[in-house]
Amino acid sequence: DFPSGYTGYHNFQETVTELNQTVTDHPNLVRLSSVGKSYQGRDLWMLKLSDNPAVDENEPEVLFTCNMHAREHLTVEMCLRIIKQYTDGYATNPTIKNLVDSREIWIIPMVNPDGVEYDIATGSFRSWRKNRQPNSTAVGTDPNRNWGYQWGCCGGSSSSGSSETYRGPSAFSAPEVARIRDFVNTRVVGGVQQIKTHIDWHTYSELILWPYGYTYNDTAPGLDATQASAFSTLGRRMASLNGYTPQQSSDLYITDGTINDWLWGVHKIWSYTFEMYPRSSSPGFYPRDTVIATETQRNDSAVELFLSYSDCVPRIIGRTC
Ligand SMILES: CC(C)C[C@H](NS(N)(=O)=O)C(=O)O
Ligand SMILES: [Ca+2]
Ligand SMILES: [Ca+2]
Ligand SMILES: [Zn+2]
């Protein structure tokens, strides 16, 4: 489990307990489901947050994914903060009520439960990143290099099984990635992808990133100048609210096979990565639990703005959808 000084973080079981408690407290706002199993058989839990949650209503859908990388434990707390904010706040905050009533919000707080449990199993952190799927030479596929858009195209991942950015033997070879792919694919209804926006939460560096990651070019097939302008305008506006640095993903470094590139490249979902606190390697991936409240609430207004534009991101540059 988490060592002393870190007990405020949620392990897999504590996350499940928290999700079940949310269902108990707010049965009219949430529905809990699993999108499937991790490599070691843990459920990949997903909470749906909306009015009439048992009904697929014609409302813009939003996806939040957290903890794709095991050691990035603060991101679980970020997904749980969003859940708490938009359930507990529903009855008293009209802005929150309007957003919950007019969107359907899907939240996956722990994409990589096997990696999380491995990272904390000994009571001392192991700095584990990947999933726990064996490969020919070692253990672990990087879930953020395993997506099937420009997979392995561009030197933004590794073919070596021991690498921290191992892309897997094929796209979608990681069960955790394949299960989220399957879910997203089910949201194409009548030929139209119902999910309009997405944030993938990571740590650290305090950045807001948008596609593409596989190329340095600001525009590329499937991403034109207008779309790039919408991505950067919303990204910059959100960064003005949380103090992170906004930039195209590849301005950080080239990555291929990421969730952001697949969600945009294949589904035209306005997909961002938020790299949370801290800014640098001290304390890096392991800030003590005393920072959780501050560093999750720091994103409240950015998340609210994001949800408000989730019906039509190009509206932020004066366009209609
Ligand atoms: C989203 C990309 C561009 C950055 C991310 N950094 S992290 N969270 O793994 O340190 C990653 O390498 O997957
Ligand atoms: Ca609804
Ligand atoms: Ca819907
Ligand atoms: Zn990460």
Side-chain angles (χ1 to χ4, degrees):
D1 203 351
F2 285 96
S4 71
Y6 299 84
T7 55
Y9 289 93
H10 289 72
N11 61 30
F12 176 68
Q13 188 46 55
E14 289 164 340
T15 302
V16 176
T17 301
E18 177 73 15
L19 292 172
N20 289 328
Q21 188 60 52
T22 304
V23 173
T24 304
D25 295 347
H26 303 283
N28 305 330
L29 292 179
V30 301
R31 280 191 75 202
L32 185 61
S33 65
S34 168
V35 298
K37 303 286 190 182
S38 68
Y39 176 78
Q40 292 177 333
R42 294 179 175 89
D43 276 298
L44 305 170
W45 292 110
M46 178 174 69
L47 199 75
K48 179 185 180 183
L49 178 47
S50 188
D51 64 329
N52 311 308
V55 182
D56 179 7
E57 296 188 301
N58 184 24
E59 299 165 346
E61 298 182 17
V62 180
L63 175 63
F64 292 112
T65 49
C66 290
N67 204 204
M68 181 183 282
H69 290 141
R71 62 195 174 193
E72 300 169 15
H73 300 289
L74 184 61
T75 64
V76 178
E77 310 310 318
M78 188 64 229
C79 267
L80 295 178
R81 168 65 189 175
I82 293 168
I83 291 168
K84 193 138 199 67
Q85 179 81 343
Y86 285 85
T87 53
D88 287 355
Y90 183 86
T92 55
N93 181 322
T95 303
I96 287 180
K97 181 180 189 306
N98 292 337
L99 289 170
V100 172
D101 288 349
S102 61
R103 277 99 172 104
E104 293 177 332
I105 304 167
W106 305 97
I107 305 170
I108 305 175
M110 196 174 276
V111 169
N112 181 6
D114 302 351
V116 166
E117 288 303 314
Y118 180 76
D119 193 44
I120 63 177
T122 67
S124 301
F125 294 119
R126 286 160 140 161
S127 250
W128 192 256
R129 169 186 170 91
K130 303 190 286 179
N131 74 359
R132 290 295 300 163
Q133 184 175 15
N135 56 61
S136 50
T137 55
V139 175
T141 293
D142 180 353
N144 210 23
R145 300 297 186 279
N146 191 239
W147 296 81
Y149 185 77
Q150 298 282 32
W151 177 78
C153 71
C154 303
S157 60
S158 171
S159 59
S160 164
S162 58
S163 169
E164 289 282 54
T165 57
Y166 178 53
R167 67 175 77 100
S170 59
F172 303 116
S173 56
E176 299 85 0
V177 171
R179 295 296 72 77
I180 297 172
R181 170 205 60 191
D182 294 345
F183 166 67
V184 171
N185 287 340
T186 67
R187 301 311 307 135
V188 179
V189 179
V192 179
Q193 173 55 254
Q194 302 298 299
I195 302 170
K196 304 303 177 190
T197 63
H198 162 256
I199 296 177
D200 193 31
W201 296 89
H202 287 256
T203 72
Y204 59 87
S205 298
E206 299 188 5
L207 304 171
I208 294 179
L209 307 172
W210 55 84
Y212 286 119
Y214 80 89
T215 174
Y216 288 122
N217 297 332
D218 295 359
T219 60
L223 205 167
D224 66 26
T226 302
Q227 292 161 330
S229 172
F231 260 123
S232 58
T233 303
L234 177 56
R236 292 191 184 110
R237 188 81 70 75
M238 293 190 288
S240 74
L241 297 172
N242 67 1
Y244 293 7
T245 300
Q247 59 191 53
Q248 185 177 334
S249 184
S250 54
D251 293 346
L252 184 64
Y253 41 75
I254 294 284
T255 51
D256 50 42
T258 64
I259 189 170
N260 296 143
D261 283 7
W262 185 77
L263 286 173
W264 175 260
V266 173
H267 289 281
K268 293 293 171 270
I269 294 169
W270 299 89
S271 176
Y272 289 85
T273 285
F274 276 48
E275 292 280 356
M276 296 176 70
Y277 173 93
R279 195 165 279 283
S280 66
S281 54
S282 162
F285 293 113
Y286 297 110
R288 299 175 77 97
D289 57 13
T290 46
V291 313
I292 292 172
T294 307
E295 292 307 326
T296 53
Q297 292 167 29
R298 177 173 175 185
N299 287 299
D300 285 351
S301 51
V303 168
E304 184 178 303
L305 185 81
F306 185 73
L307 288 169
S308 74
Y309 277 101
S310 284
D311 61 306
C312 181
V313 168
R315 187 172 72 246
I316 205 164
I317 55 169
R319 303 257 170 163
T320 57
C321 284

